[in-house]
Amino acid sequence: MQHLTGLVVFTDLDGTFLDHDDYSWEAARPALERLRENNVPLLAISSKTLAELHGLNDRHHLFAGLIGENGGVLEIGGDLRQPGPATQTIDDARSAIAKAVSVPVASFRSSSTDQIATATGLSLGDAALAGNRNCSDPLIWQPTENDITLARNIAGEFGLKLVKGGRFHTLCGETDKGRAMQTAIALLQEQQKLPAQRSDITSIALGDSPNDAGMLAQADIAVQIPVKHGPVPTLDLAGKSALRAPAPGPQGWNISINAILDDLSQTPTAITKAR
Ligand SMILES: [Mg+2]
């Protein structure tokens, strides 16, 4: 299995490694075991907080590194990096927004666990993990259109963005998963867990949604996992192509990783690096 040297795998969690409905990764276990046997580092890269990722990893020891808040903060081998905005900048921008708009502004960082649980429907334990944020902050407010415009402008003055997710407007920086992936590879090289030469490294990335596109575009081997319910999004991969997993969630993850490992270990030239 010498051809698997220099391999590193980055995976999105929700809808990719974890089943969309029950958050199970059980179906990925065979490929996961194979990565482990070959000492291939697997890194989680998610919109979740580091605290939430720790909640999963401390129980199951799945990942060699955790990348949270959409690439804003990384923890790998005890090294903590925050390419995202400084926590103080987030808090300062939120205070400035609260002063300018016509409605009260709370947020995950500034609220109690009880308040986050009420706003999200999460359990108290999960609300505490979701509120433990480094470099992005979902606002809890009922804004007018004018408030949103004001808040966007103020965020911009602090070098931040205000991004509307499913439910919340989130104050965050310009970081993305693709850049975080490159930072993680450099850290793993420093820690001698990957070869010193970038050309000796093959990165695999798996994701299912538009916020994974930057990561898939920069991976040597990209895998788009189809979404379980509804249409599969067209991802902007900057001209690169991605393999399509034959099934959603951890089932597709398992089949895709196994197929890639088969190719790499049997015919190392079968997959040409796109770099
Ligand atoms: Mg996802």
Side-chain angles (χ1 to χ4, degrees):
M1 287 287 180
Q2 61 186 17
H3 304 308
L4 300 182
T5 309
L7 208 56
V8 57
V9 180
F10 292 86
T11 186
D12 169 55
L13 294 187
D14 292 336
T16 297
F17 181 74
L18 302 176
D19 182 85
H20 178 275
D21 295 327
D22 64 9
Y23 301 104
S24 168
W25 47 272
E26 198 54 43
R29 192 186 283 275
L32 194 65
E33 296 289 345
R34 208 167 155 196
L35 292 176
R36 202 172 278 172
E37 282 163 16
N38 287 282
N39 294 316
V40 176
L42 171 66
L43 291 92
I45 181 158
S46 170
S47 59
K48 294 179 190 296
T49 65
L50 279 188
E52 290 174 297
L53 295 174
H54 267 294
L56 182 68
N57 208 34
D58 292 355
R59 244 174 298 141
H60 302 294
H61 307 289
L62 301 166
F63 305 113
L66 305 174
I67 304 172
E69 298 183 55
N70 279 323
V73 61
L74 300 83
E75 190 179 327
I76 297 171
D79 263 329
L80 185 70
R81 300 284 165 93
Q82 188 164 328
T87 313
Q88 188 65 50
T89 305
I90 295 282
D91 290 343
D92 290 348
R94 189 188 60 247
S95 298
I97 288 168
K99 280 192 195 122
V101 298
S102 66
V103 293
V105 176
S107 77
F108 281 31
R109 275 189 50 76
S110 65
S111 297
S112 69
T113 299
D114 277 340
Q115 289 166 321
I116 296 170
T118 304
T120 56
L122 292 172
S123 69
L124 282 177
D126 288 343
L129 299 179
N132 191 345
R133 313 190 70 85
N134 288 64
C135 54
S136 63
D137 198 11
L139 303 183
I140 302 172
W141 64 340
Q142 302 295 330
T144 63
E145 280 305 314
N146 190 45
D147 290 332
I148 294 168
T149 304
L150 275 172
R152 274 195 210 290
N153 290 341
I154 293 167
E157 287 165 16
F158 284 82
L160 303 176
K161 299 185 292 187
L162 190 69
V163 175
K164 178 80 165 74
R167 206 154 154 195
F168 297 100
H169 287 91
T170 296
L171 205 49
C172 58
E174 289 289 346
T175 45
D176 70 61
K177 288 185 174 186
R179 245 181 291 169
M181 189 174 80
Q182 302 304 352
T183 304
I185 288 173
L187 259 177
L188 289 165
Q189 287 177 299
E190 272 176 40
Q191 296 173 4
Q192 301 184 341
K193 291 169 189 159
L194 283 177
Q197 292 291 330
R198 182 61 183 83
S199 55
D200 293 335
I201 296 171
T202 301
S203 59
I204 301 173
L206 305 95
D208 70 326
S209 50
N211 77 343
D212 298 312
M215 166 174 83
L216 297 183
Q218 291 197 28
D220 297 314
I221 302 170
V223 180
Q224 182 176 358
I225 302 280
V227 296
K228 193 169 181 180
H229 308 293
V232 176
T234 302
L235 304 184
D236 178 6
L237 303 184
K240 298 274 290 287
S241 61
L243 306 172
R244 279 286 186 99
Q251 202 186 351
W253 198 98
N254 186 59
I255 295 167
S256 299
I257 289 287
N258 272 318
I260 292 167
L261 296 186
D262 285 347
D263 274 354
L264 289 175
S265 51
Q266 286 160 20
T267 51
T269 52
I271 295 175
T272 308
K273 286 195 184 186
R275 233 186 1 257

